[in-house]
Amino acid sequence: MTACGEQRAFAPGRVNLLGDHTDYTGGFSLPMAIGLGTTVRWRPGPGGTSLRITSDDEAEPVELAPGIADGSQPPSAVGPRWARYVAAGAALARPGRGGELAVSSTLPIGSGLSSSTSLVIAVALALGAASSDPLELAHAAQAAEQAACGVPGGLLDQIAIVASRPGCGLLLDCGRLTWRPVRLPEDVAVVVVDSGEARALAASSYGERRRACDEAARIVGPLAQASLADLAQIADPVLRRRARHVVSENRRTLAFADALAAGDAAGAGRLMDESHASLAGDFAVSTRRLDELCAGLRSLPGVHGARPTGAGFGGCVVALTEPGTELPPGLAPRWWPVRPAGGATAG
Ligand code: GLA
């Protein structure tokens, strides 16, 4: 807390380099935090327990009733939607007094770079949530966000946002709930490209994919331990394809970590392209726009590989490139060269 009584926190967004729709089946992912993120400033008020929230991106402030921040009312009852994530962070931190929260973000909102998780965690840290155990904070943020928006997300975003290290991706084992940093080679760069396509089906179809994976696991056992041969036991061809994405994506993620560690940028890029094919074909979470954007990126000199990142159904794609690779004007409305950044900070 500063001399003027203000507490500030920053939580980065994340981009997932490889391993999508694997976290909620206990599999592997390799995300990294990015420099874009959410800053929250908290100024405790002289009295009362209600919270007044302002956001640089929103015209109107929102007043959160005391019951939200003390956990007696669900954050899902809060409107508008963006304020629900603030309510989730407040419910996690339980500040015990009122005041003003000012939110500003450099992340594109709702584009698959974890803007909502970044907001939940920045609010929680600004309000003084304990952060000594990153896994505990990640679990608490996951539960708070699920209560706010009802989407049964895994732990990928939260762990990436709290535990990332500068210069590194994190190889997450979502079964053991462990992770280790994987340094990105000096001669590769990461570019995030916004498709401009809203993720219309993200919430409903995400839950449907998750249920399909649970159903497949009832037949063959945990997908993180299943082999491709085991999947022959699944009679339903759609279910079998969903499970094949997960099993093959886990292998690709481990191979990707090895390729990065060996400085094999071309090999890492090929695995990203294969991941895209699997997300588009077996898991059916890509879109025509995402497919075209990845194909456009792949056709450029200096691009090693490209894929949709995060839940899919629109949002952003990520490419591994040679440093300094420029995208031609007109390929996409917005793109960002990003560097692997450290996790969330308070103070
Ligand atoms: C969203 C979820 C994550 C993860 C990805 C897909 O970002 O919040 O938990 O499941 O989709 O990999």
Side-chain angles (χ1 to χ4, degrees):
M1 183 118 18
T2 62
C4 63
E6 183 179 278
Q7 171 82 20
R8 179 183 177 281
F10 174 79
R14 66 97 187 93
V15 62
N16 195 21
L17 297 175
L18 209 98
D20 270 313
H21 293 279
T22 46
D23 62 343
Y24 51 79
T25 57
F28 297 97
S29 298
L30 207 153
M32 65 180 221
I34 58 179
L36 305 171
T38 312
T39 300
V40 173
R41 292 186 176 78
W42 156 236
R43 193 188 289 264
T49 46
S50 67
L51 295 174
R52 184 172 188 273
I53 322 161
T54 60
S55 164
D56 285 358
D57 292 315
E58 305 292 334
E60 298 294 329
V62 174
E63 198 85 21
L64 284 188
I68 299 289
D70 70 19
S72 60
Q73 283 172 35
S76 57
V78 171
R81 195 176 169 79
W82 68 272
R84 232 171 258 176
Y85 297 102
V86 179
L92 192 172
R94 308 232 174 144
R97 55 182 171 165
E100 298 219 356
L101 281 169
V103 177
S104 61
S105 178
T106 50
L107 278 167
I109 308 298
S111 296
L113 300 181
S114 279
S115 56
S116 43
T117 304
S118 163
L119 177 56
V120 171
I121 292 175
V123 168
L125 291 180
L127 289 174
S131 61
S132 54
D133 178 354
L135 187 56
E136 200 177 299
L137 178 60
H139 269 301
Q142 179 195 34
E145 192 173 336
Q146 286 185 357
C149 69
V151 180
L155 268 172
L156 157 64
D157 307 338
Q158 293 80 3
I159 294 178
I161 288 172
V162 301
S164 281
R165 308 249 185 102
C168 299
L170 280 190
L171 176 61
L172 307 185
D173 178 337
C174 297
R176 293 189 176 83
L177 291 177
T178 57
W179 53 87
R180 69 174 167 84
V182 177
R183 188 156 289 282
L184 263 61
E186 293 295 328
D187 60 349
V188 301
V190 178
V191 174
V192 173
V193 187
D194 189 359
S195 69
E197 184 173 43
R199 297 183 310 146
L201 290 173
S204 57
S205 300
Y206 184 94
E208 189 271 323
R209 294 299 184 283
R210 190 167 177 159
R211 282 191 296 279
C213 291
D214 291 346
E215 180 59 27
R218 271 192 285 278
I219 301 168
V220 298
L223 294 183
Q225 276 94 57
S227 69
L228 288 171
D230 292 336
L231 305 183
Q233 298 166 55
I234 304 176
D236 179 333
V238 173
L239 215 55
R240 198 164 57 236
R241 284 205 299 276
R242 303 291 186 255
R244 188 168 64 179
H245 164 72
V246 175
V247 171
S248 63
E249 187 83 341
N250 281 330
R251 292 174 176 201
R252 278 187 291 275
T253 306
L254 294 174
F256 182 75
D258 289 345
L260 290 180
D264 177 9
R270 268 196 305 277
L271 290 160
M272 291 173 79
D273 292 347
E274 286 169 24
S275 168
H276 176 204
S278 179
L279 288 166
D282 282 349
F283 219 64
V285 294
S286 191
T287 65
R288 182 181 295 183
R289 173 78 187 122
L290 295 176
D291 293 347
E292 285 170 0
L293 196 48
C294 289
L297 284 162
R298 269 178 221 125
S299 70
L300 300 174
V303 173
H304 300 300
R307 63 187 286 279
T309 184
F313 308 106
C316 287
V317 307
V318 59
L320 200 66
T321 73
E322 289 171 5
T325 300
E326 288 286 327
L327 306 198
L331 184 75
R334 297 189 291 182
W335 62 278
W336 302 266
V338 293
R339 301 171 72 81
T345 51

